[in-house]
Structure formats: C-alpha cells, structure tokens
Amino acid sequence: MRYLCLVHFDPSTMMNASPIEQQDLDRRSLAYDEELKRTGHYIASQAIEAPESAVLVRVRSGKMSTTDGPYIETKEAMAGFILIEARDMNDAVRLAGGIPIAEIGTIEVRPIFEIPTPPPLP
C-alpha cells in the first residue's frame, strides 16, 4: 500500500541553523531517500518552496478565484513530501520516523486513497 508522508517544519528553525547544520540535514535526508530506494519503499519525494510562493485556486459557481499564500497562519508549514510503499500504517509510521526532518518538525502520514474507476455512462 502507498502512503504519503507530508513533511512539515518551522522555517525559522533552519534560519537559526548554521550552514553546516543545514547541509548535514540535507545530506541525511538524501541518504534516507537512498535507503528507502534500496529497501524498495521509495516511490517519490520532493521539497517544495515556502508557503509565500503558494497560490490557492478555487472554483465556485463556475468562477475561478485565486489567493496568494500563505493560506494558514501556523509556525509549521508543508515543506515537501515522500511517497512510500509500506505493508500497513504501522510500517509507514516506522519508515516516517526515519525521515531526518522529523527531528525538527512533523511528518504527517496518510494512506493513498485509490479512486475507483466509475462505471461507464449509460
């Protein structure tokens, strides 16, 4: 089963870190991706830009509107994701615990919802 590990952390945490600490976290994160690949758990991962770069898109009554980010006021913001393959939620949580950013932030683990193919229209 596939699980999405949403990576959240407070960007100010990294602003207070030295360049060496930032590079160490990056190295350990990339190494963990390689470990997940080696063990067959890795599907994809990507860091994302800061919340200020976000644009929210809504369509209501056929009209589209956009709002510039950030869209919620919180210290922690989504910083990226890792899509993994795991036996079950317990296995996914165990794997998420190895993500280095879990030491300074939060990893939200969610099962992927497989949308069933609807029957053809009559």
Side-chain angles (χ1 to χ4, degrees):
M1 188 167 184
R2 293 181 297 163
Y3 293 85
L4 184 62
C5 300
L6 297 166
V7 177
H8 302 267
F9 77 97
D10 180 350
S12 69
T13 303
M14 291 310 290
M15 291 188 309
N16 297 327
S18 72
I20 291 172
E21 291 170 320
Q22 292 174 11
Q23 291 169 359
D24 179 60
L25 182 62
D26 290 344
R27 268 191 216 92
R28 292 187 303 120
S29 295
L30 293 171
Y32 192 64
D33 287 351
E34 290 303 316
E35 175 65 14
L36 290 172
K37 288 176 189 175
R38 188 186 67 72
T39 59
H41 295 288
Y42 182 90
I43 298 172
S45 64
Q46 192 66 58
I48 60 175
E49 293 288 337
E52 296 76 27
S53 67
V55 176
L56 297 169
V57 177
R58 290 182 178 89
V59 177
R60 301 292 186 269
S61 301
K63 294 187 180 185
M64 185 178 75
S65 66
T66 61
T67 306
D68 291 340
Y71 60 97
I72 53 175
E73 295 299 322
T74 180
K75 285 188 178 188
E76 286 192 346
M78 189 182 334
F81 71 90
I82 302 174
L83 183 61
I84 61 172
E85 183 75 35
R87 286 186 312 276
D88 54 29
M89 179 61 92
N90 289 333
D91 192 32
V93 167
R94 178 187 63 79
L95 294 167
I99 298 170
I101 289 187
E103 297 169 9
I104 61 168
T106 304
I107 310 300
E108 177 183 351
V109 181
R110 288 187 171 187
I112 295 296
F113 177 74
E114 298 291 340
I115 299 173
T117 303
L121 292 173

